[in-house]
């Protein structure tokens, strides 16, 4: 949306040698993006348009980014999961509706609440801080790399889910006998 794009332009202006990497849109959208860059005094090379590619190559290219920045009206789901699993910190701004809380839910499940923001100002400040503070960014990357969160432990999730199903079945059996 417009709000996050404006923030992204601010970040490009403030952070030397930074680039915005987005999925390649239709040619009309590319022209509009280039016009916006010019309005902000930025060269069109500051935006990298990612071509569509097979899944394994798409996943691998996440290793070359520093931050994943969420959108506001419809937050990331699969995009956030791929970024986090690849070790790429993902910043989101949570909202009030279902579509605006997916990114925050995923980060909460990963014990990465420090990447959840609540307004545009926090979102921009956090993105700037992580883009300019290598130590802080490395701490979050290290946290992601260890994958200590239950979110990344599919074996434990499966076991917990199976135990929950067993409890449900046992409680239904007890109720049906009485």
């Amino acid at each position: 949306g417009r709000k996050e794009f404006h923030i992204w332009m601010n970040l490009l202006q403030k952070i030397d040698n930074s680039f915005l990497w987005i999925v390649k849109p239709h040619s009309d959208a590319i022209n509009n993006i280039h016009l916006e860059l010019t309005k902000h005094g930025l060269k069109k090379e500051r935006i990298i348009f990612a071509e569509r590619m097979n899944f394994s190559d798409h996943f691998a290219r996440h290793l070359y980014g520093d931050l994943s920045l969420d959108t506001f009206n419809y937050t990331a789901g699969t995009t956030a999961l791929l970024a986090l699993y690849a070790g790429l910190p993902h910043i989101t701004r949570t909202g009030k509706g279902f579509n605006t809380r997916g990114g925050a839910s995923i980060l909460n499940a990963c014990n990465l609440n420090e990447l959840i923001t609540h307004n545009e100002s926090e979102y921009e400040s956090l993105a700037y801080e992580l883009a300019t503070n290598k130590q802080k960014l490395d701490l979050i990357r290290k946290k992601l790399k260890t994958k200590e969160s239950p979110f990344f432990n599919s074996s434990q999730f499966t076991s917990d889910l199976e135990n929950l199903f067993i409890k449900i079945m046992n409680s239904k059996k007890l109720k049906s006998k009485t």
Side-chain angles (χ1 to χ4, degrees):
R2 196 101 182 118
K3 288 179 183 178
E4 51 271 61
F5 190 79
H6 180 72
I7 290 170
W8 299 342
M9 293 300 101
N10 287 344
L11 292 167
L12 286 174
Q13 287 173 321
K14 292 179 193 176
I15 305 166
D16 292 335
N17 300 315
S18 62
F19 297 88
L20 180 61
W21 188 358
I22 60 175
V23 174
K24 186 176 183 178
H26 186 274
S27 61
D28 290 338
I30 291 172
N31 292 334
N32 289 336
I33 290 170
H34 285 157
L35 284 173
E36 286 297 317
L37 283 165
T38 303
K39 287 180 189 176
H40 286 85
L42 297 164
K43 294 182 179 182
K44 67 180 182 178
E45 292 80 18
R46 299 290 294 279
I47 299 250
I48 299 168
F49 294 109
E51 298 286 343
R52 298 198 184 275
M53 56 180 47
N54 68 52
F55 178 78
S56 61
D57 290 338
H58 174 64
F59 182 75
R61 70 180 166 191
H62 284 77
L63 301 173
Y64 296 100
D66 291 320
L67 287 173
S68 171
L69 301 175
D70 214 342
T71 54
F72 299 159
N73 291 332
Y74 192 90
T75 60
T78 304
T79 300
L81 294 171
L82 288 175
L84 295 167
Y85 206 81
L88 183 63
H90 179 78
I91 297 173
T92 194
R93 189 211 70 179
T94 190
K96 293 180 181 175
F98 175 77
N99 291 342
T100 64
R101 301 186 67 77
S105 293
I106 291 167
L107 289 167
N108 185 46
C110 294
N111 295 328
L112 289 166
N113 296 33
E114 65 266 37
L115 297 176
I116 302 170
T117 64
H118 299 84
N119 57 54
E120 287 84 8
S121 178
E122 283 181 15
Y123 175 92
E124 185 172 348
S125 294
L126 181 60
Y128 179 80
E129 181 180 6
L130 291 179
T132 59
N133 184 336
K134 187 169 172 21
Q135 268 188 321
K136 188 164 186 176
L137 183 62
D138 285 346
L139 285 174
I140 293 169
R141 282 184 174 278
K142 191 177 288 185
K143 196 172 178 182
L144 276 167
K145 190 174 187 177
T146 61
K147 294 187 175 38
E148 291 176 4
S149 161
F151 181 81
F152 295 110
N153 189 339
S154 56
S155 297
Q156 185 62 52
F157 175 83
T158 302
S159 176
D160 290 346
L161 185 60
E162 287 170 348
N163 288 332
L164 182 62
F165 286 152
I166 290 168
K167 282 182 184 177
I168 291 169
M169 292 304 297
N170 287 338
S171 73
K172 293 222 180 251
K173 285 179 187 176
L174 286 174
K175 286 182 182 177
S176 65
K177 289 182 181 181
T178 57

